[in-house]
Amino acid sequence: MAGKVFFSVTMSLDGFIAPENLEDLMGQQWMELQQWMFPLRFFRENLKLGEGGEEGPDNDIVRKTFERTGASVMGKRMFDAGEPAWPQEAPFHTPVFVVTHEKRDPWQRPGGTTFHFVNDGIEPALDQAREAAGDRDVRIAGGGATILEYVNAGLIDEFTIALSPVLFGSGIRLFDGVDAGRVALEPGRAEPTQRVTHLAYAVRER
C-alpha cells in the first residue's frame, strides 16, 4: 500500500501530551501546550476562525500534515473529549475511524468528516482507514493510549512531535508503557521555530 501510518502530536518538555482528566482537556494547561498553532493561517482557515493569520515554517508543517492525511484513527477517549468541542464542520474533512466498544451508526458531519465506529480492535480500524485513505497517509490522531497501542503493535511508520516549551508535571505521557525492546527510532529532522521545535522520526523494529 502506498500510504504511511503516522502520528503527529504536541508534547510538553517533560513528555506529556494531555492532562489526565477529560474535563481538563480544553483547559488552560492544554491551551498553553497548543497555543503555537492558534495564530497560524492554516489553523484559522481550517476551523473557519476568519481570515488572516501567520505564515511561515509552523504554518507549512501544519498544512502539510493535514494534506497528507487521507483518513484518521482515534480512540474513544479522544472522541468523547472532541465530540462536544469540535465545530459542526469538524476539522478533519476525511473519514475518521473511532476504536471503541460502543456500537454506533456512522456520524456524518458537514465538510467531509464522517466518524465510523469500529468495535473489533486497532488493526481492523487501521485496515478500514487505509482503504478509505487510498494513496494518502493514515494519521493515528490520538489519544496517547491509542497511539501507544499502534506503536507497540509495530504499525507506525513514522511520527512528528512539536516540542512545546511548557511543563505539565503530570498527565498522559506519550511513551509511558512503550515496548522499548521492540521499537527503534531513526532520526529524521529537527527544526526549531520561534514557538516550538519540530522533531521527526521513522520507526523501525529493533
Side-chain angles (χ1 to χ4, degrees), residues 119-189:
N119 308 125
D120 46 358
I122 63 170
E123 294 195 33
L126 180 57
D127 290 342
Q128 293 180 49
R130 282 186 184 276
E131 184 175 354
D135 59 358
R136 294 165 73 192
D137 297 333
V138 174
R139 180 178 183 177
I140 309 302
T146 300
I147 288 173
L148 189 66
E149 281 191 82
Y150 279 99
V151 170
N152 285 342
L155 297 172
I156 297 292
D157 297 310
E158 59 190 43
F159 64 88
T160 61
I161 293 173
L163 193 61
S164 179
V166 175
L167 297 174
F168 262 43
S170 64
I172 295 176
R173 286 189 183 276
L174 177 58
F175 294 115
D176 191 13
V178 70
D179 186 354
R182 177 177 183 178
V183 178
L185 304 181
E186 182 179 303
R189 75 173 192 279

Side-chain angles (χ1 to χ4, degrees), residues 11-192:
M11 186 174 75
S12 70
L13 280 177
D14 51 348
F16 298 96
I17 60 171
E20 188 70 43
N21 298 319
L22 276 178
E23 56 266 25
D24 296 329
L25 196 53
M26 300 297 175
Q28 180 179 351
Q29 195 175 38
W30 186 88
M31 297 292 280
E32 290 177 358
L33 180 70
Q34 304 290 349
Q35 67 181 350
W36 68 277
M37 285 195 296
F38 300 150
L40 302 181
R41 182 183 185 92
F42 181 82
F43 181 86
R44 292 182 55 80
E45 289 175 351
N46 192 34
L47 286 176
K48 299 191 181 306
L49 298 177
E51 296 181 357
E54 296 179 7
E55 299 189 15
D58 288 329
N59 188 68
D60 292 343
I61 287 169
V62 172
R63 177 178 49 79
K64 288 175 183 176
T65 300
F66 177 87
E67 290 175 348
R68 70 180 287 194
T69 302
S72 295
V73 176
M74 70 177 59
K76 183 66 160 51
R77 184 180 189 270
M78 181 176 178
F79 176 79
D80 285 345
E83 184 176 14
W86 291 318
Q88 184 178 18
E89 188 171 313
F92 302 97
H93 308 292
T94 63
V96 178
F97 297 85
V98 182
V99 181
T100 177
H101 296 296
E102 177 187 6
K103 294 187 182 299
R104 180 170 169 178
D105 292 334
W107 185 40
Q108 186 172 351
R109 310 303 294 146
T113 302
T114 299
F115 294 93
H116 302 270
F117 301 88
V118 183
N119 308 125
D120 46 358
I122 63 170
E123 294 195 33
L126 180 57
D127 290 342
Q128 293 180 49
R130 282 186 184 276
E131 184 175 354
D135 59 358
R136 294 165 73 192
D137 297 333
V138 174
R139 180 178 183 177
I140 309 302
T146 300
I147 288 173
L148 189 66
E149 281 191 82
Y150 279 99
V151 170
N152 285 342
L155 297 172
I156 297 292
D157 297 310
E158 59 190 43
F159 64 88
T160 61
I161 293 173
L163 193 61
S164 179
V166 175
L167 297 174
F168 262 43
S170 64
I172 295 176
R173 286 189 183 276
L174 177 58
F175 294 115
D176 191 13
V178 70
D179 186 354
R182 177 177 183 178
V183 178
L185 304 181
E186 182 179 303
R189 75 173 192 279
E191 182 177 353

